[in-house]
Amino acid sequence: MSTNEPLAISESQQMNLDTEPEGRWKGAFREMLAGGPGVAIGALILAFLVGSIMIAFTNAAVREAASYFFARPQDFFSALGSAMGGAYSSLIRGSIFNWEAPTFQRMISPLLLTLHNSGPLICAGLGVAVTFKAGLFNIGGRGQMLMAAVFAGWLAFGLPNLPVGIHLIVCILGGILGGALWGALAGFLNAKTGAHEVIATIMLNYVALYLLQYLLATPGLMQNPGSSNPITPATPMSAQLPRLFGRQFPLNAGFLIALLAVAFCWWLLNRSSLGFAFKAVGENKRAAKVAGINTDRMTITVFAISGALLALAGAMQVLGTVTTGFTDGIDGGIGFDGITVALLGGSQPVGVLFAGLLFGAFKAGGSMMQAGQMIPIEIVSVIQSLIVLFIAAPPLVRAIFHLPQPSQVAAAKKAAAKAAKAEAKAAAKKEVSA
Amino acid sequence: MSTVTVDPSTVLPDEGPIEHRIVEKRSVKTATILAVATALLALLLVASPRQGKTNFQITLGNEFFSIGEGGVVAVPAVPFAWICVAIMAVLTVVAFVLSYRYSKFPGWASAVFGLLAVAAFLSWAGAGAQGRLNVVGLIGNAILVAIPLVFGALGGVIGERAGVVNIAIEAQLLMAAFTGAVVGSLTANAWVGLLAAILAGAGVAAILGVFAINYRVEQVIVGVVLNVLIIGVTTFLFSAWLQTDMQRLNSTLEHRFPDIAIPLLSRIPIIGPALFNRPVIVYIMYVAVAAVWFALYRTRWGLRTRAVGEHPKAADTVGIKVNATRWLAVLIAGAIVGIGGASYTLVSNPSFNREMTAGFGYIALAAVIFGNWDPIRASLAGLLFGFAINLQSVLSVIGSPVPSQFMLMLPYVVTLLAVAGLVGKSRAPAADGVAYTVEGH
C-alpha cells in the first residue's frame, strides 16, 4: 500500500523517530567512555601491534631474514628489532623532539609541526563532535571544508587590495559562511524531508568536490590565470595566517584559532542554553520536542555550527598550510580524520583537543617515517582507525587483555558485600549466643 | 494510487453501521517529473541550437544484419532531437491523463521516455562532431563501469534488509580489488583471483560483523572507520610491498577474464555486442541480480533475513536467531561485493592502484537507497549511475558543451533528491542500523 506525498514525508519522519532508539549514539559513547584508561591503553597497544606487524611484513631485511628463520633465528630478531626501532624512533623524532638535529631550533621544530598539523584536525574534530552531541552524524566534513576553501580562496584572490589584517578576517569569515551554509543544507534536508543525514552529507561531499573541480578547471573562475592545470593562484600574503615563530617554522595563528574554538565549544556545550538544547535533542528527541524545543531548527543549527567549525579547518588549509595555490585535494582527508578525532576525544571539546594533538603528532611523525624509513605514511591512518575501532568496542579489548568486565566487577562487588554482610550477621549471632 | 480504509475500532458500535470507504488519491508526481524533463530539454534546444549531423555507430559488423552505411547512421541533429522531445511531450500528456484517471504510468513507458531523452541529448551534444557516437560502446562500457556498482548495491541491499547498515561497501570493493590483483597475478589464474577477492570481501564483512553485531558498535561508525582502515592498509601494502615487484605481484594483464561471446545472443544488433560479448563476471552479475531477488523474496532464508531487518524482536519471538541470521547475511553480502571488487583488477584494469575504487562504494550505497532497498531496482539504479558516469567520458571525447564535472555530479544529486523524497519514495527497513540484544544474555 502506498500513501500520498505529504503523508509519506511525515510518515518517514515519524519512522525515523520510532526506529532510532533514544540516546542511540549516547549509548555508544557511554560504552566508549566507560572503557576507562585500561581500555584506551589496550586499544593503543593493539593498534600499534597491528601496525608493527605490517611494518615488519613489508620490511625487506626482515623478510629476507625470515626466509632462513630456522637456520639463524637471531638474524630475524635483530632485523625485526632494527626495523621497529627505526620506525618508532623516527615517529618520535618527526613529531616531538629530534635529538639527531644539529641545532636546537631544528630539534624542537617537530613539536611545532605537530601543533601546526593539529590545528585543522582539532577544528574538524570539534565540528563532528558537536553533531554527535545532538544525536547526529556529520560525515560531510570534506564537502564543508571544500566549500570553505572555495569561499575563502575566492575572497583571498578576488579582493587583493584589502588591508593586511582585514583581508585575513574577511577570508576566514567568508570561509566559515561557506562551510556553514553547506552544513546547514544537510541539516535542512534532514529536518525538513527526513533524509538521513549520513547519506545527505556523503552525497554533498561529492557535489562539493565536483563543483570545486569545475571551478578549478574553468578559466576565469578559480583557475590560476595562465595555467591549464586545475590549481588556484597562490594565496596573497595579506590573507595568510601569520606565523608564530618566524618563517622557518610552519606553525601559524591557526593553532590559536583552534584553541579558541575548543573554548567556544566547551562554552557552547556546557554553559549555553543552545548547547543544552542540542544535548536535549541528542538524548531524547521526542522529549525535547515535548519540552518545546524546535527540533527541526536545532538540527539545522547544529549542522550550521558543525559546518562552520569544519570550515575553519578548510580555511586554515587555504590560508595557512597550502598557500601556493590549491587543488581539489585541499581538504587533505581532514574531514574524515575529524570523525576519528571526535570519537577518540569522546565528543568532549577538551578530549578532542588532545585527540587532535595526538593525530597531529602521528601525521608529523608519519612523514618522517616515510622520508627516513621508506614506510608509507598510510600506516598512520591504519593505526588511527584501529585505535578508534578498538576503543569503540571495550568488551573486545577487555577480553583480549583479560581485564575485568564492568558487569563482572559489579557482580564481584555485590558478592563481596553479601559475604561481608553474612559475616557480620554470623558474628552478631555468635555474640548473642555467647 | 492508494487506499486508506477507516479503522473499524475507532467507530463506536452505536453510531450506526460501520462504513468502509476507499479513498483514492491522484499522484501527479511522475507526470510532473516528465514534464520538467521535457521542458528542460526543449529549453536546451531553443537556447543553444547546434548545426550539422550526428553520426551514430549502431552496429559493428558482426551482427545478424547491419544498420546504416557501415553501421553508421547520420541523423540531422536538431530535427531528430525535436522529434524525440515531441514524443516525450506526448508521453507526458498521457501520464497526466492516466494520473487524472487514477491509473499508474507504466514502468516500460518511463523507460521509453528515458531512452528518448538520452537520444535527444546525445543527438544535440554530438551535432557537427567529426567522431562517431558509438552506441554499442556507450552501452557496453556502461555495463563494465556498473559492475562494482551493481554488486555493491546487491551486497548493500542484503545487509540492510537484515538490519546491518553497510557503509563499508567501499572498503569491501577496495580490499577485493587488491586481493584479486595479488592472487590473480601470483597464481596467473583469474578464477583463483576471483575466489580470493570473494573471501576478501567476506573478510571485511566479518570485521563489520564482529563490531556491529557482536559488540554492537554503532554501525555507521564501524563502516566509516573500516573505509579509512582499508584505504590505509591497501595503499600501505601497495607502496611498501606491491611496488617492489609489480611484475610478479601486481600484473593481471595476461590473466584477466576474456570476453566470452554467447552464441546467437551476441549477434543481435546493439544489445548483442554490448551485453552478450562480455567477460564472465558480467554474466555472473546478470545471474546474481535474479538470484538475490529470488533468495530475498521467495525463500525461507529471505523471509527470515527480512524479518530480522524489520522487526528483530518479533523474529526472535518466533524462534529465528537474529544475530546468526544477520551474520550470515553480512557475510553473503560481503562475498557478493567482493565479486564486484574483483572486476577492477580482473576485468577493467591490468593492475591494482591506490584508492582505485574512487568512491564507487558510496555510489553503490546511493543506488541501494535510490533503488528503495530492492535488489532489482537497486541494480537498475547502479546501471543508471554507471551509464551517467560512462556518458561523461564519452561526451568529453566528442567534445560536448556540458562540463564533465556536472555529469559526474549527477548520481549524487539524483540520490539527494531521492532521499529528500522528491524522486520516488525511499523507506529503509525498520530496524536498519539498530543492534539487537538478546534478552537474558
Side-chain angles (χ1 to χ4, degrees):
Chain A
M1 198 185 84
S2 64
T3 44
N4 64 332
E5 296 339 304
L7 240 181
I9 285 169
S10 65
E11 207 178 53
S12 71
Q13 277 178 336
Q14 193 60 45
M15 189 197 75
N16 273 354
L17 282 179
D18 286 339
T19 53
E20 281 177 29
E22 310 308 342
R24 163 180 164 193
W25 299 97
K26 198 185 139 222
F29 294 121
R30 200 175 29 225
E31 277 269 283
M32 281 184 206
L33 295 177
V39 169
I41 293 167
L44 273 171
I45 293 174
L46 283 175
F48 272 99
L49 196 67
V50 176
S52 305
I53 292 170
M54 286 178 65
I55 292 171
F57 173 73
T58 50
N59 185 289
V62 174
R63 269 193 295 161
E64 209 199 309
S67 62
Y68 56 89
F69 178 77
F70 291 105
R72 293 180 59 188
Q74 68 270 32
D75 273 19
F76 174 79
F77 288 112
S78 83
L80 191 67
S82 75
M84 291 300 119
Y88 291 124
S89 84
S90 59
L91 184 67
I92 293 169
R93 278 191 291 120
S95 60
I96 299 171
F97 187 76
N98 186 358
W99 56 86
E100 286 182 4
T103 63
F104 179 70
Q105 276 195 340
R106 298 267 298 275
M107 283 182 186
I108 59 154
S109 107
L111 186 65
L112 297 180
L113 183 62
T114 293
L115 296 181
H116 167 71
N117 288 342
S118 58
L121 286 169
I122 292 168
C123 291
L126 289 172
V128 179
V130 168
T131 54
F132 278 147
K133 281 285 180 191
L136 296 161
F137 188 8
N138 177 9
I139 123 168
R142 187 183 188 189
Q144 288 142 20
M145 284 184 70
L146 292 179
M147 291 313 280
V150 167
F151 275 57
W154 186 77
L155 289 169
F157 323 130
L159 304 168
N161 297 325
L162 284 182
V164 172
I166 310 253
H167 195 186
L168 178 64
I169 292 171
V170 166
C171 289
I172 292 177
L173 291 179
I176 289 177
L177 180 70
L181 285 177
W182 207 245
L185 179 58
F188 175 82
L189 287 171
N190 178 253
K192 296 295 178 192
T193 72
H196 198 293
E197 80 276 8
V198 169
I199 307 299
T201 47
I202 290 176
M203 300 305 144
L204 283 173
N205 279 348
Y206 285 97
V207 174
L209 175 69
Y210 290 119
L211 203 61
L212 175 59
Q213 282 185 1
Y214 170 72
L215 295 174
L216 290 175
T218 312
L221 292 176
M222 290 194 76
Q223 195 178 47
N224 192 8
S227 161
S228 60
N229 293 329
I231 187 164
T232 65
T235 311
M237 276 305 290
S238 59
Q240 287 188 18
L241 289 161
R243 302 214 172 185
L244 296 179
F245 296 99
R247 295 299 306 173
Q248 69 268 41
F249 298 117
L251 183 64
N252 59 43
F255 183 69
L256 300 181
I257 296 177
L259 292 180
L260 286 178
V262 171
F264 167 75
C265 286
W266 183 86
W267 173 83
L268 175 77
L269 292 174
N270 296 314
R271 289 290 180 272
S272 75
S273 58
L274 186 64
F276 181 78
F278 286 175
K279 287 194 284 187
V281 173
E283 301 260 329
N284 190 330
K285 194 170 176 183
R286 231 174 306 178
K289 208 168 195 170
V290 170
I293 294 172
N294 185 339
T295 52
D296 284 357
R297 203 166 66 201
M298 280 307 133
T299 302
I300 300 174
T301 314
V302 164
F303 263 99
I305 292 177
S306 170
L309 286 162
L310 278 143
L312 215 45
M316 280 179 203
Q317 288 287 99
V318 173
L319 307 173
T321 311
V322 185
T323 50
T324 53
F326 66 86
T327 63
D328 60 354
I330 182 69
D331 63 302
I334 293 169
F336 280 100
D337 287 345
I339 299 168
T340 39
V341 170
L343 290 172
L344 188 60
S347 293
Q348 302 291 342
V350 178
V352 167
L353 170 68
F354 287 107
L357 285 171
L358 180 69
F359 279 22
F362 276 148
K363 206 169 168 181
S367 311
M368 179 74 120
M369 270 162 80
Q370 173 148 323
Q373 306 287 319
M374 312 293 281
I375 298 168
I377 193 163
E378 283 75 23
I379 191 74
V380 168
S381 65
V382 172
I383 292 177
Q384 285 174 359
S385 42
L386 284 173
I387 292 174
V388 173
L389 262 189
F390 287 125
I391 283 191
L396 176 67
V397 178
R398 287 199 199 97
I400 290 173
F401 288 103
H402 295 288
L403 295 172
Q405 305 285 352
S407 54
Q408 290 174 1
V409 174
K413 267 186 188 160
K414 228 178 183 176
K418 220 175 181 179
K421 221 176 175 181
E423 216 164 81
K425 235 181 188 173
K429 235 180 187 174
K430 229 180 189 175
E431 226 164 67
V432 169
S433 64
Chain B
M1 195 179 73
S2 62
T3 56
V4 177
T5 47
V6 177
D7 186 2
S9 63
T10 59
V11 182
L12 292 173
D14 54 298
E15 281 182 355
I18 296 165
E19 184 194 4
H20 289 278
R21 285 186 304 136
I22 292 175
V23 181
E24 289 192 280
K25 288 225 159 66
R26 295 190 179 99
S27 169
V28 290
K29 197 162 71 178
T30 314
T32 312
I33 291 168
L34 298 190
V36 169
T38 313
L40 280 178
L41 257 177
L43 193 69
L44 185 72
L45 292 177
V46 172
S48 165
R50 287 157 68 87
Q51 300 297 318
K53 292 187 168 187
T54 302
N55 300 313
F56 286 107
Q57 173 110 41
I58 307 281
T59 53
L60 301 176
N62 201 22
E63 293 86 349
F64 289 121
F65 55 89
S66 178
I67 298 171
E69 201 174 314
V72 178
V73 176
V75 293
V78 171
F80 178 73
W82 273 117
I83 293 170
C84 291
V85 171
I87 305 173
M88 285 162 65
V90 172
L91 283 173
T92 307
V93 171
V94 170
F96 272 112
V97 171
L98 284 177
S99 79
Y100 184 75
R101 293 182 180 168
Y102 305 105
S103 306
K104 226 182 134 197
F105 193 60
W108 60 265
S110 299
V112 170
F113 184 92
L115 275 179
L116 284 167
V118 170
F121 179 75
L122 283 178
S123 165
W124 170 79
Q130 288 299 310
R132 296 166 187 167
L133 258 174
N134 185 344
V135 178
V136 175
L138 197 65
I139 302 171
N141 288 335
I143 298 276
L144 287 189
V145 171
I147 299 173
L149 298 179
V150 171
F151 280 112
L154 286 176
V157 166
I158 295 177
E160 301 214 4
R161 271 306 176 85
V164 181
V165 172
N166 189 359
I167 303 273
I169 298 174
E170 175 85 354
Q172 294 170 336
L173 285 176
L174 194 61
M175 198 68 217
F178 177 87
T179 316
V182 174
V183 176
S185 306
L186 281 174
T187 60
N189 186 330
W191 285 103
V192 182
L194 177 63
L195 189 68
I198 291 172
L199 291 177
V204 176
I207 305 179
L208 177 70
V210 167
F211 284 96
I213 301 173
N214 291 13
Y215 291 102
R216 297 192 292 282
V217 182
E218 179 55 45
Q219 295 170 4
V220 175
I221 291 177
V222 185
V224 171
V225 174
L226 264 183
N227 285 343
V228 178
L229 175 69
I230 298 298
I231 288 175
V233 167
T234 53
T235 311
F236 175 84
L237 291 177
F238 174 75
S239 308
W241 182 43
L242 296 194
Q243 282 192 328
T244 58
D245 192 355
M246 290 288 272
Q247 195 58 39
R248 190 171 69 90
L249 295 170
N250 187 16
S251 169
T252 51
L253 183 61
E254 287 147 30
H255 321 305
R256 282 187 289 175
F257 286 110
D259 284 351
I260 298 172
I262 299 214
L264 294 179
L265 286 180
S266 67
R267 292 182 60 200
I268 302 170
I270 303 180
I271 61 164
L275 304 184
F276 299 109
N277 187 13
R278 309 265 73 178
V280 70
I281 286 190
V282 173
Y283 304 128
I284 298 177
M285 177 171 85
Y286 301 155
V287 176
V289 175
V292 170
W293 174 84
F294 184 83
L296 269 182
Y297 292 118
R298 294 287 182 272
T299 66
R300 184 184 300 191
W301 171 80
L303 183 63
R304 289 178 175 183
T305 301
R306 286 182 291 135
V308 300
E310 290 288 345
H311 203 316
K313 196 158 204 170
D316 197 8
T317 310
V318 296
I320 300 170
K321 289 194 172 62
V322 174
N323 285 343
T325 311
R326 287 186 167 179
W327 253 108
L328 185 64
V330 164
L331 289 180
I332 291 174
I336 290 176
V337 179
I339 305 176
S343 75
Y344 279 100
T345 45
L346 297 173
V347 173
S348 310
N349 301 286
S351 62
F352 178 83
N353 208 340
R354 62 183 71 203
E355 289 185 53
M356 71 188 306
T357 49
F360 268 43
Y362 292 113
I363 304 187
L365 189 68
V368 171
I369 296 155
F370 191 46
N372 209 4
W373 290 270
D374 174 82
I376 292 184
R377 287 165 74 181
S379 301
L380 288 176
L383 279 178
L384 185 71
F385 292 162
F387 186 80
I389 292 164
N390 183 52
L391 191 62
Q392 165 282 125
S393 57
V394 172
L395 289 182
S396 64
V397 171
I398 63 166
S400 142
V402 181
S404 63
Q405 290 87 2
F406 289 102
M407 296 294 297
L408 287 169
M409 209 188 273
L410 201 62
Y412 306 105
V413 175
V414 168
T415 306
L416 267 179
L417 295 177
V419 292
L422 300 179
V423 182
K425 185 170 45 127
S426 70
R427 183 195 164 281
D432 202 6
V434 184
Y436 185 69
T437 319
V438 184
E439 275 168 32
H441 282 262

